[in-house]
Amino acid sequence: MRFGMETTVMNDTRGLPYRLRLPGPTAVPERVRHEIAGLVVDHHGPEFHALIGEIQSRIRPIFGTRGKVLTFAGSGTAAMEAALANAAPPGTPVLVVAHGQFGVRFGQIARALGCAVDMLEVEWGTAPDPAVIRQRLEQRDYSVLCVTHNETSTGVTADLPAIGELTKDRSTLLLVDSVSGLAGLPVEQDRWHLDLVIGASQKALMCPPGIGLVGVSAKAWAVIERSHGGRFFWDFRKASAALDKMESAFTPPVSLLAGLAEAFRMIDEEGFANVLARHRRLAAGLRAGLAALDFAPFPREASSDTVSVMRMPEGLDGNAVIRRLYEGYRTVVAGSRTHLSGKLIRIGTMGHVSESDILTDLHYIERTLTDLGRAPREGVGVAAAAALLARPPAERRAAA
Ligand code: PLP
């Protein structure tokens, strides 16, 4: 697809590149796009077997698991539904913690599947309190607890290690939506006792949309093996049996999986610990720059390292800023798709992002503010970010 632009350089007549700076989908590196454009191979053949083997071995540190990670053709929402369809047959008592839009979606999916859903609503911009979750788990015998790891709508990260402690000695399965966390934030599925960890290709995994991923714990497998009905394509038992033969139960998105393997190679070349440190560092830099431009962090605590969610400066319409950034500077950032529309700006710091992306974001935001009559002191946002990014790592952590 050309969308009126060069497929590789993508400059418009002004020489401006298209800049996808959303909290997903994110920019896909050239190397990954090149792999995706490669030969489509037989999904029962040796090339595909090798590809699946490589994906399974490289994916383990990212999920922090020695268990299986299943991949499906589908988006993050599909993977959420698949996880629930396997772990929570109709009538299952499910507690959903919602600290933003995607927690609400978890509840909608569980209800659509006929589960007996209770919601634990958490004020948006704050993190779920493990003590409150514990109280709720003590009030009713829930089979499943759903939590959003990284709330992309609010920019808040949940305390997964503490939440995992709550379910590890209960029969309750912990389902974690880490669609916008995985590969950009630490996830230790085994150590933190997370039963089903859900991811998607188009976020920190640096691929186009189209692959949903689910890591499955031994405790989850015990439930899934016993549960019947309610799924066919999404049946994890079929997916697992196929994976044992380095195959896929149904025709897989071969080209996207080739891209995913390349993304994993890139992560391994950089070193996964360095990838996580880069996400932390760039998020802190972007927030410092935006703060210097009078944007205030939306999260009151536990700010995410993969998405910066900021309130607009007083009197400024968020949607006007977003529109101007695109029309003037071909920079695509997100607003809010909720009741907070116009009040927030959301920018991704996940995946294939570098310091120059952050500084360019801030430069264009400064120019946008000027275009909209705000005239900030020239370079103030860029300078604040550059100053933070220039600090040695320990100092940087304290300031963030
Ligand atoms: N969960 C979270 C935290 C997300 O950020 C998203 C997408 O932005 C989803 C779920 C849904 O994923 P998808 O849009 O791939 O269906």
Side-chain angles (χ1 to χ4, degrees):
M1 240 179 298
R2 295 184 71 85
F3 297 116
M5 56 196 169
E6 289 300 318
T7 48
T8 51
V9 179
M10 300 195 299
N11 289 345
D12 72 352
T13 51
R14 295 166 295 182
L16 291 177
Y18 180 83
R19 306 185 64 248
L20 189 62
R21 300 290 300 111
L22 295 172
T26 63
V28 176
E30 177 74 29
R31 274 176 63 175
V32 171
R33 285 186 282 129
H34 185 81
E35 280 301 311
I36 291 169
L39 210 59
V40 175
V41 297
D42 169 18
H43 61 279
H44 297 299
E47 296 85 1
F48 188 73
H49 294 161
L51 178 67
I52 289 291
E54 180 178 359
I55 287 175
Q56 283 300 311
S57 66
R58 290 192 192 267
I59 211 168
R60 300 263 152 95
I62 294 171
F63 276 77
T65 185
R66 297 167 72 86
K68 280 180 184 160
V69 178
L70 310 177
T71 57
F72 293 92
S75 76
T77 307
M80 291 160 81
E81 178 164 347
L84 277 163
N86 279 272
T92 302
V94 173
L95 178 63
V96 176
V97 180
H99 59 118
Q101 179 190 357
F102 292 102
V104 170
R105 183 174 301 180
F106 232 154
Q108 289 168 334
I109 298 170
R111 248 181 246 113
L113 294 178
C115 300
V117 180
D118 287 337
M119 298 297 290
L120 196 175
E121 304 279 357
V122 176
E123 190 187 344
W124 289 26
T126 67
D129 180 349
V132 176
I133 300 175
R134 180 193 292 114
Q135 279 171 9
R136 294 291 295 266
L137 290 175
E138 282 164 1
Q139 284 164 13
R140 190 173 171 190
D141 195 12
Y142 290 104
S143 302
V144 169
L145 171 66
C146 297
V147 176
T148 314
H149 178 200
N150 187 70
E151 230 332 321
T152 324
S153 63
T154 64
V156 171
T157 302
D159 184 353
L160 287 187
I163 297 170
E165 281 298 314
L166 303 177
T167 50
K168 79 168 189 207
D169 297 322
R170 297 173 194 268
S171 58
T172 313
L173 291 182
L174 176 54
L175 268 64
V176 175
D177 164 3
S178 189
V179 165
S180 66
L182 201 76
L185 302 178
V187 175
E188 294 288 347
Q189 176 162 17
D190 295 352
R191 256 192 329 116
W192 298 348
H193 312 284
L194 317 177
D195 294 306
L196 290 144
V197 175
I198 296 149
S201 51
Q202 78 274 19
K203 305 273 181 177
L205 288 172
M206 304 187 286
C207 283
I211 302 175
L213 306 99
V214 188
V216 188
S217 74
K219 180 173 156 191
W221 277 121
V223 172
I224 291 165
E225 299 291 353
R226 284 198 314 268
S227 88
H228 296 286
R231 76 268 201 202
F232 184 81
F233 178 84
W234 303 118
D235 192 335
F236 286 2
R237 294 167 302 183
K238 287 195 189 75
S240 171
L243 195 54
D244 288 339
K245 296 183 275 172
M246 294 297 156
E247 295 220 351
S248 176
F250 308 102
T251 310
V254 175
S255 305
L256 287 179
L257 289 167
L260 188 64
E262 185 65 13
F264 288 148
R265 285 177 210 124
M266 290 177 70
I267 289 171
D268 285 345
E269 283 166 26
E270 185 175 348
F272 188 44
N274 296 329
V275 169
L276 295 179
R278 172 168 54 82
H279 281 77
R280 259 198 314 278
R281 172 169 177 272
L282 296 180
L286 179 60
R287 283 198 296 266
L290 289 170
L293 294 169
D294 295 333
F295 290 80
F298 182 72
R300 287 210 254 121
E301 55 192 347
S303 281
S304 163
D305 290 335
T306 54
V307 52
S308 292
V309 180
M310 307 291 283
R311 288 181 192 276
M312 305 310 294
E314 191 62 35
L316 203 59
D317 173 19
N319 293 328
V321 170
I322 291 160
R323 205 174 318 115
R324 181 66 203 149
L325 268 170
Y326 175 63
E327 286 170 359
Y329 309 101
R330 300 191 83 212
T331 293
V332 185
V333 302
S336 172
R337 297 183 164 275
T338 69
H339 61 283
L340 295 166
S341 173
K343 300 198 170 82
L344 302 180
I345 188 170
R346 297 181 304 130
I347 306 179
T349 49
M350 62 177 102
H352 191 56
V353 188
S354 70
E355 193 167 314
S356 66
D357 291 310
I358 301 303
L359 297 176
T360 307
D361 291 339
L362 289 162
H363 173 60
Y364 286 152
I365 289 170
E366 285 177 11
R367 289 182 58 180
T368 294
L369 295 179
T370 303
D371 295 343
L372 296 176
R374 284 297 165 125
R377 209 151 33 82
E378 202 182 323
V380 71
V382 173
L388 189 133
L389 292 168
R391 287 186 209 164
E395 226 181 296
R396 212 182 287 130
R397 254 197 305 282

